[in-house]
Coordinates of all heavy atoms in Angstrom, one line a residue:
G39 N 98.6 25.2 11.0 CA 99.6 24.2 11.2 C 99.3 23.1 12.1 O 100.2 22.6 12.8
G40 N 98.0 22.8 12.3 CA 97.7 21.6 13.1 C 96.5 21.7 13.9 O 95.9 20.7 14.2
G41 N 96.1 22.9 14.4 CA 94.9 23.1 15.1 C 95.0 22.5 16.5 O 93.9 22.3 17.1
S42 N 96.1 22.2 17.0 CA 96.2 21.6 18.3 C 97.1 22.4 19.2 O 97.9 21.9 20.0 CB 96.7 20.1 18.3 OG 98.0 20.1 17.6
G43 N 96.8 23.7 19.2 CA 97.7 24.7 19.9 C 97.4 24.6 21.4 O 96.7 23.8 21.9
S44 N 98.1 25.4 22.2 CA 98.0 25.4 23.6 C 96.7 26.0 24.2 O 96.5 25.9 25.3 CB 99.2 26.3 24.2 OG 99.0 27.6 23.8
G45 N 95.9 26.5 23.3 CA 94.6 27.1 23.7 C 94.6 28.6 23.5 O 93.6 29.2 23.4
E46 N 95.8 29.2 23.4 CA 95.9 30.6 23.1 C 95.4 30.8 21.7 O 95.8 30.1 20.8 CB 97.3 31.1 23.3 CG 97.7 31.1 24.7 CD 99.1 31.7 24.9 OE1 99.4 32.8 24.3 OE2 99.9 31.1 25.6
G47 N 94.5 31.8 21.5 CA 94.0 32.0 20.2 C 92.9 31.1 19.8 O 92.4 31.1 18.7
D48 N 92.4 30.3 20.8 CA 91.3 29.4 20.5 C 90.0 30.0 20.9 O 89.0 29.2 21.2 CB 91.5 28.1 21.3 CG 92.5 27.2 20.6 OD1 93.0 27.5 19.5 OD2 92.8 26.1 21.1
A49 N 89.8 31.3 21.0 CA 88.6 31.9 21.4 C 87.5 31.6 20.4 O 87.7 31.8 19.2 CB 88.8 33.4 21.6
P50 N 86.3 31.2 20.8 CA 85.2 31.0 19.9 C 84.9 32.3 19.1 O 85.0 33.4 19.6 CB 84.0 30.6 20.8 CG 84.7 30.1 22.0 CD 85.9 30.9 22.2
G51 N 84.6 32.1 17.8 CA 84.2 33.2 17.0 C 85.3 34.1 16.5 O 85.0 35.2 16.0
G52 N 86.6 33.7 16.7 CA 87.7 34.5 16.2 C 87.5 34.7 14.7 O 87.1 33.9 14.0
G53 N 87.9 35.9 14.2 CA 87.7 36.2 12.8 C 89.0 36.5 12.0 O 88.9 36.9 10.9
S54 N 90.1 36.3 12.6 CA 91.4 36.6 11.9 C 91.5 35.6 10.7 O 91.2 34.5 10.8 CB 92.5 36.4 12.9 OG 93.8 36.4 12.2
S55 N 92.1 36.1 9.6 CA 92.4 35.3 8.5 C 93.6 34.4 8.7 O 93.8 33.4 8.0 CB 92.6 36.1 7.2 OG 93.7 37.0 7.4
D56 N 94.4 34.6 9.7 CA 95.6 33.8 10.0 C 95.3 32.5 10.7 O 95.7 31.5 10.2 CB 96.6 34.6 10.8 CG 97.9 33.9 11.0 OD1 98.4 33.3 10.1 OD2 98.5 34.0 12.1
P57 N 94.5 32.5 11.8 CA 94.2 31.2 12.4 C 93.1 30.4 11.6 O 92.4 31.0 10.8 CB 93.5 31.6 13.7 CG 93.7 33.1 13.9 CD 94.0 33.6 12.5
A58 N 93.2 29.1 11.7 CA 92.2 28.3 11.1 C 90.9 28.4 11.8 O 90.8 28.2 13.0 CB 92.7 26.8 11.0
Q59 N 89.8 28.6 11.1 CA 88.5 28.5 11.6 C 88.1 27.1 11.8 O 88.2 26.3 10.9 CB 87.5 29.2 10.7 CG 87.7 30.7 10.5 CD 87.4 31.5 11.8 OE1 88.3 31.6 12.7 NE2 86.2 32.0 11.9
Q60 N 87.6 26.7 13.0 CA 87.2 25.3 13.2 C 85.8 25.3 13.8 O 85.4 26.2 14.5 CB 88.2 24.7 14.3 CG 89.6 24.5 13.8 CD 90.4 23.9 14.9 OE1 90.4 24.3 16.1 NE2 91.2 22.9 14.5
R61 N 85.1 24.2 13.4 CA 83.8 23.9 13.9 C 83.9 22.6 14.6 O 84.1 21.5 14.0 CB 82.7 23.9 12.8 CG 81.3 23.6 13.3 CD 80.3 24.1 12.4 NE 80.2 25.5 12.5 CZ 79.5 26.3 11.7 NH1 78.9 25.7 10.6 NH2 79.4 27.6 11.8
I62 N 83.7 22.6 15.9 CA 83.7 21.4 16.8 C 82.3 20.8 16.8 O 81.4 21.4 17.3 CB 84.2 21.7 18.2 CG1 85.6 22.4 18.2 CG2 84.3 20.4 19.0 CD1 86.0 23.0 19.5
L63 N 82.2 19.6 16.2 CA 80.9 18.9 16.3 C 81.0 18.0 17.5 O 81.7 17.1 17.5 CB 80.6 18.1 15.0 CG 80.5 18.9 13.7 CD1 80.4 18.0 12.5 CD2 79.4 19.9 13.8
Y64 N 80.2 18.4 18.6 CA 80.4 17.7 19.8 C 79.2 16.9 20.3 O 79.4 16.1 21.3 CB 80.8 18.7 20.9 CG 79.8 19.7 21.3 CD1 78.8 19.5 22.3 CD2 79.7 21.0 20.7 CE1 77.9 20.4 22.7 CE2 78.7 21.9 21.0 CZ 77.8 21.6 22.0 OH 76.9 22.5 22.4
H65 N 78.1 16.9 19.7 CA 77.0 16.1 20.2 C 75.9 15.9 19.1 O 75.5 16.9 18.5 CB 76.3 16.9 21.4 CG 75.3 16.0 22.2 ND1 75.6 14.8 22.7 CD2 74.0 16.3 22.5 CE1 74.5 14.4 23.3 NE2 73.5 15.2 23.2
T66 N 75.6 14.7 18.9 CA 74.6 14.4 17.9 C 73.4 13.6 18.5 O 73.7 12.6 19.3 CB 75.2 13.5 16.7 OG1 76.3 14.3 16.2 CG2 74.2 13.2 15.7
V67 N 72.2 14.0 18.2 CA 71.0 13.3 18.8 C 70.0 13.1 17.7 O 69.7 14.0 16.9 CB 70.4 14.2 19.9 CG1 69.1 13.6 20.4 CG2 71.3 14.5 21.0
I68 N 69.5 11.9 17.6 CA 68.3 11.5 16.8 C 67.2 11.0 17.7 O 67.5 10.1 18.5 CB 68.7 10.5 15.7 CG1 69.8 11.0 14.7 CG2 67.4 10.1 14.9 CD1 69.4 12.2 13.9
D69 N 66.0 11.6 17.6 CA 64.9 11.2 18.4 C 64.6 9.7 18.1 O 64.7 9.2 17.0 CB 63.7 12.0 18.1 CG 62.5 11.8 19.0 OD1 61.9 10.7 18.9 OD2 62.2 12.7 19.8
E70 N 64.3 9.0 19.2 CA 64.1 7.5 19.1 C 63.0 7.2 18.0 O 63.0 6.2 17.4 CB 63.6 6.9 20.4 CG 64.8 6.6 21.3 CD 64.4 5.8 22.6 OE1 63.6 4.9 22.4 OE2 64.9 6.2 23.6
A71 N 62.0 8.1 17.9 CA 60.9 7.8 16.9 C 61.4 7.8 15.5 O 60.7 7.3 14.6 CB 59.8 8.9 17.1
F72 N 62.6 8.3 15.3 CA 63.2 8.4 13.9 C 64.4 7.5 13.8 O 65.1 7.6 12.7 CB 63.5 9.8 13.6 CG 62.4 10.8 13.5 CD1 62.0 11.5 14.6 CD2 61.6 10.9 12.4 CE1 60.9 12.3 14.6 CE2 60.5 11.7 12.3 CZ 60.1 12.4 13.4
S73 N 64.7 6.7 14.7 CA 65.9 5.8 14.7 C 65.8 4.8 13.6 O 64.7 4.4 13.1 CB 66.2 5.2 16.0 OG 65.2 4.3 16.3
G74 N 67.0 4.3 13.1 CA 67.0 3.3 12.1 C 66.8 3.7 10.7 O 66.6 2.9 9.8
R75 N 66.8 5.0 10.4 CA 66.5 5.5 9.1 C 67.7 6.1 8.4 O 67.6 6.7 7.4 CB 65.4 6.6 9.1 CG 64.1 6.1 9.7 CD 63.0 7.2 9.6 NE 61.9 6.8 10.4 CZ 60.8 7.6 10.5 NH1 60.7 8.7 9.7 NH2 59.8 7.2 11.2
G76 N 68.9 6.0 9.1 CA 70.1 6.6 8.5 C 70.2 8.1 8.7 O 71.0 8.8 8.0
L77 N 69.4 8.7 9.6 CA 69.3 10.1 9.7 C 70.6 10.7 10.4 O 71.0 11.8 10.0 CB 68.1 10.6 10.6 CG 66.7 10.3 9.9 CD1 65.6 10.7 10.9 CD2 66.6 10.9 8.6
A78 N 71.2 10.0 11.3 CA 72.4 10.5 11.9 C 73.5 10.6 10.9 O 74.3 11.6 10.9 CB 72.9 9.5 13.0
S79 N 73.6 9.7 10.0 CA 74.6 9.7 8.9 C 74.3 10.9 8.0 O 75.2 11.7 7.6 CB 74.6 8.4 8.1 OG 75.6 8.5 7.1
R80 N 73.0 11.1 7.6 CA 72.7 12.2 6.7 C 72.9 13.5 7.4 O 73.5 14.5 6.8 CB 71.2 12.1 6.4 CG 70.5 13.3 5.7 CD 70.9 13.5 4.3 NE 70.3 14.7 3.7 CZ 69.1 14.8 3.1 NH1 68.4 13.7 3.0 NH2 68.7 15.9 2.7
L81 N 72.6 13.6 8.7 CA 72.8 14.9 9.4 C 74.3 15.2 9.5 O 74.8 16.3 9.3 CB 72.3 14.7 10.8 CG 72.5 15.8 11.9 CD1 72.0 17.1 11.4 CD2 71.9 15.4 13.2
T82 N 75.1 14.2 9.8 CA 76.6 14.3 9.9 C 77.2 14.8 8.6 O 78.0 15.7 8.5 CB 77.2 13.1 10.5 OG1 76.7 12.8 11.7 CG2 78.7 13.2 10.6
R83 N 76.8 14.1 7.5 CA 77.3 14.4 6.2 C 77.0 15.8 5.8 O 77.8 16.6 5.4 CB 76.8 13.5 5.1 CG 77.3 13.8 3.7 CD 76.6 12.9 2.6 NE 76.8 11.5 2.9 CZ 77.8 10.8 2.7 NH1 78.9 11.3 2.1 NH2 77.9 9.5 3.0
D84 N 75.7 16.2 6.0 CA 75.3 17.6 5.6 C 75.9 18.6 6.5 O 76.3 19.7 6.0 CB 73.8 17.7 5.6 CG 73.1 16.9 4.5 OD1 73.8 16.2 3.7 OD2 71.9 17.0 4.4
A85 N 76.1 18.4 7.8 CA 76.7 19.3 8.7 C 78.2 19.5 8.4 O 78.6 20.7 8.3 CB 76.6 18.8 10.2
I86 N 78.9 18.5 8.1 CA 80.3 18.6 7.7 C 80.4 19.3 6.4 O 81.2 20.3 6.2 CB 81.0 17.2 7.6 CG1 81.1 16.7 9.1 CG2 82.4 17.4 7.0 CD1 81.6 15.2 9.1
A87 N 79.6 19.0 5.4 CA 79.6 19.6 4.1 C 79.3 21.1 4.2 O 80.1 21.9 3.6 CB 78.6 19.0 3.1
A88 N 78.3 21.5 5.0 CA 78.0 22.9 5.1 C 79.1 23.6 5.8 O 79.5 24.8 5.5 CB 76.7 23.0 5.9
S89 N 79.7 23.0 6.9 CA 80.8 23.6 7.6 C 82.0 23.9 6.7 O 82.6 25.0 6.7 CB 81.2 22.7 8.8 OG 80.2 22.6 9.7
V90 N 82.4 22.9 5.9 CA 83.5 23.0 4.9 C 83.2 24.1 3.9 O 84.0 25.0 3.6 CB 83.8 21.7 4.3 CG1 84.7 21.8 3.1 CG2 84.3 20.7 5.3
T91 N 82.0 24.2 3.4 CA 81.6 25.2 2.4 C 81.7 26.6 3.1 O 82.1 27.6 2.4 CB 80.1 25.0 2.0 OG1 80.1 23.7 1.3 CG2 79.7 26.1 1.0
E92 N 81.4 26.7 4.4 CA 81.5 28.0 5.1 C 83.0 28.3 5.4 O 83.2 29.4 6.0 CB 80.7 28.0 6.3 CG 79.2 28.0 6.0 CD 78.4 27.9 7.3 OE1 78.8 28.5 8.3 OE2 77.4 27.2 7.3
G93 N 83.9 27.4 5.1 CA 85.3 27.7 5.4 C 85.9 27.2 6.7 O 87.0 27.5 7.1
Y94 N 85.1 26.3 7.4 CA 85.6 25.7 8.6 C 86.3 24.4 8.4 O 86.0 23.7 7.5 CB 84.4 25.5 9.5 CG 83.7 26.7 10.1 CD1 82.6 27.3 9.5 CD2 84.2 27.3 11.3 CE1 82.0 28.4 10.0 CE2 83.6 28.4 11.8 CZ 82.5 29.0 11.2 OH 82.0 30.1 11.7
R95 N 87.2 24.1 9.3 CA 87.8 22.8 9.4 C 87.0 22.1 10.5 O 86.5 22.8 11.5 CB 89.3 22.9 9.8 CG 90.1 23.5 8.7 CD 91.6 23.4 8.8 NE 92.0 22.0 9.0 CZ 92.1 21.1 8.0 NH1 91.8 21.4 6.8 NH2 92.5 19.9 8.3
V96 N 86.7 20.9 10.4 CA 85.9 20.2 11.3 C 86.7 19.4 12.4 O 87.7 18.7 12.0 CB 84.9 19.2 10.6 CG1 84.1 18.3 11.5 CG2 84.0 20.0 9.6
V97 N 86.2 19.5 13.6 CA 86.8 18.8 14.7 C 85.8 17.8 15.3 O 84.8 18.2 15.8 CB 87.3 19.7 15.8 CG1 87.9 18.9 17.0 CG2 88.3 20.7 15.3
P98 N 86.0 16.5 15.1 CA 84.9 15.5 15.4 C 85.0 15.1 16.9 O 85.5 14.0 17.2 CB 85.2 14.4 14.5 CG 86.7 14.4 14.3 CD 87.0 15.9 14.3
L99 N 84.5 15.9 17.8 CA 84.5 15.5 19.2 C 83.4 14.5 19.6 O 83.6 13.6 20.4 CB 84.4 16.8 20.1 CG 84.4 16.6 21.6 CD1 85.7 16.0 22.0 CD2 84.3 18.0 22.3
C100 N 82.3 14.6 18.9 CA 81.2 13.7 19.1 C 81.6 12.3 18.7 O 82.2 12.1 17.6 CB 80.0 14.1 18.3 SG 78.7 12.9 18.2
P101 N 81.4 11.2 19.5 CA 81.8 9.9 19.1 C 81.2 9.4 17.8 O 81.9 8.7 17.0 CB 81.4 9.0 20.3 CG 81.3 10.0 21.5 CD 80.9 11.3 20.9
Y102 N 80.0 9.8 17.6 CA 79.3 9.3 16.3 C 80.0 10.0 15.2 O 80.3 9.4 14.2 CB 77.8 9.7 16.3 CG 77.2 9.2 15.0 CD1 76.8 7.9 14.8 CD2 77.1 10.1 13.9 CE1 76.3 7.4 13.6 CE2 76.7 9.6 12.7 CZ 76.3 8.3 12.5 OH 75.8 7.9 11.3
V103 N 80.3 11.3 15.3 CA 80.9 12.0 14.2 C 82.3 11.5 13.9 O 82.7 11.3 12.8 CB 80.9 13.6 14.4 CG1 81.7 14.3 13.3 CG2 79.5 14.1 14.5
K104 N 83.0 11.2 15.0 CA 84.4 10.7 14.9 C 84.4 9.3 14.1 O 85.2 9.1 13.2 CB 85.0 10.5 16.3 CG 86.4 10.0 16.2 CD 87.1 9.9 17.6 CE 88.5 9.3 17.5 NZ 89.1 9.2 18.8
S105 N 83.4 8.5 14.5 CA 83.3 7.2 13.8 C 82.9 7.4 12.4 O 83.5 6.7 11.5 CB 82.2 6.4 14.5 OG 82.0 5.2 13.8
W106 N 82.0 8.3 12.1 CA 81.5 8.6 10.7 C 82.7 9.0 9.9 O 82.9 8.6 8.7 CB 80.4 9.6 10.7 CG 79.7 9.7 9.4 CD1 78.6 9.0 9.0 CD2 80.1 10.6 8.3 NE1 78.3 9.4 7.7 CE2 79.2 10.4 7.3 CE3 81.1 11.5 8.1 CZ2 79.3 11.0 6.1 CZ3 81.2 12.1 6.9 CH2 80.3 11.9 5.9
V107 N 83.5 10.0 10.4 CA 84.6 10.5 9.6 C 85.6 9.4 9.3 O 86.2 9.4 8.2 CB 85.3 11.7 10.4 CG1 86.6 12.0 9.9 CG2 84.3 12.9 10.4
G108 N 85.8 8.5 10.3 CA 86.7 7.4 10.1 C 86.3 6.4 9.0 O 87.1 5.7 8.4
K109 N 85.0 6.4 8.6 CA 84.5 5.5 7.6 C 84.2 6.2 6.3 O 84.0 5.5 5.3 CB 83.1 4.9 8.1 CG 83.3 4.0 9.3 CD 81.9 3.6 9.8 CE 82.0 2.9 11.1 NZ 80.7 2.7 11.7
H110 N 84.3 7.5 6.2 CA 84.0 8.3 5.0 C 85.2 9.3 4.8 O 85.3 10.3 5.5 CB 82.7 9.1 5.2 CG 81.5 8.2 5.4 ND1 81.2 7.8 6.7 CD2 80.6 7.6 4.6 CE1 80.1 7.0 6.6 NE2 79.8 6.9 5.3
D111 N 86.0 9.0 3.9 CA 87.2 9.8 3.7 C 87.1 11.0 2.8 O 88.0 11.8 2.6 CB 88.4 9.0 3.2 CG 88.2 8.3 1.9 OD1 87.0 8.5 1.3 OD2 89.1 7.7 1.3
E112 N 85.9 11.3 2.3 CA 85.7 12.4 1.4 C 85.9 13.8 2.0 O 86.2 14.7 1.3 CB 84.3 12.4 0.7 CG 83.1 12.5 1.7 CD 82.5 11.2 2.0 OE1 83.3 10.2 2.2 OE2 81.3 11.1 2.2
F113 N 85.9 13.8 3.4 CA 86.2 15.1 4.0 C 87.5 15.1 4.8 O 87.8 16.0 5.6 CB 85.0 15.4 5.0 CG 83.7 15.7 4.3 CD1 82.7 14.8 4.3 CD2 83.5 16.9 3.6 CE1 81.5 15.0 3.7 CE2 82.3 17.1 2.9 CZ 81.3 16.2 3.0
A114 N 88.3 14.1 4.6 CA 89.5 13.9 5.4 C 90.4 15.1 5.4 O 91.1 15.4 6.4 CB 90.3 12.6 4.9
D115 N 90.5 15.8 4.3 CA 91.4 17.0 4.1 C 90.8 18.2 4.9 O 91.5 19.2 5.0 CB 91.6 17.4 2.7 CG 92.4 16.4 1.9 OD1 93.1 15.5 2.5 OD2 92.3 16.4 0.7
H116 N 89.7 18.1 5.5 CA 89.0 19.2 6.2 C 88.8 18.9 7.7 O 88.0 19.6 8.3 CB 87.7 19.5 5.5 CG 87.8 19.9 4.1 ND1 88.3 21.1 3.6 CD2 87.6 19.1 3.0 CE1 88.3 21.1 2.3 NE2 87.9 19.9 1.9

Side-chain angles (χ1 to χ4, degrees):
S42 57
S44 65
E46 292 183 47
D48 281 357
S54 169
S55 62
D56 186 39
Q59 296 289 89
Q60 293 179 315
R61 178 158 285 166
I62 304 168
L63 297 175
Y64 67 89
H65 188 56
T66 302
V67 174
I68 297 296
D69 188 288
E70 278 189 45
F72 296 95
S73 66
R75 302 184 193 185
L77 296 179
S79 181
R80 166 76 182 269
L81 174 59
T82 300
R83 178 184 308 280
D84 288 5
I86 292 173
S89 297
V90 168
T91 297
E92 291 177 39
Y94 289 94
R95 296 191 54 76
V96 174
V97 179
L99 182 58
C100 168
Y102 180 84
V103 175
K104 181 178 180 180
S105 173
W106 190 94
V107 166
K109 297 173 186 171
H110 301 87
D111 63 355
E112 61 263 36
F113 295 107
D115 291 344
H116 303 283

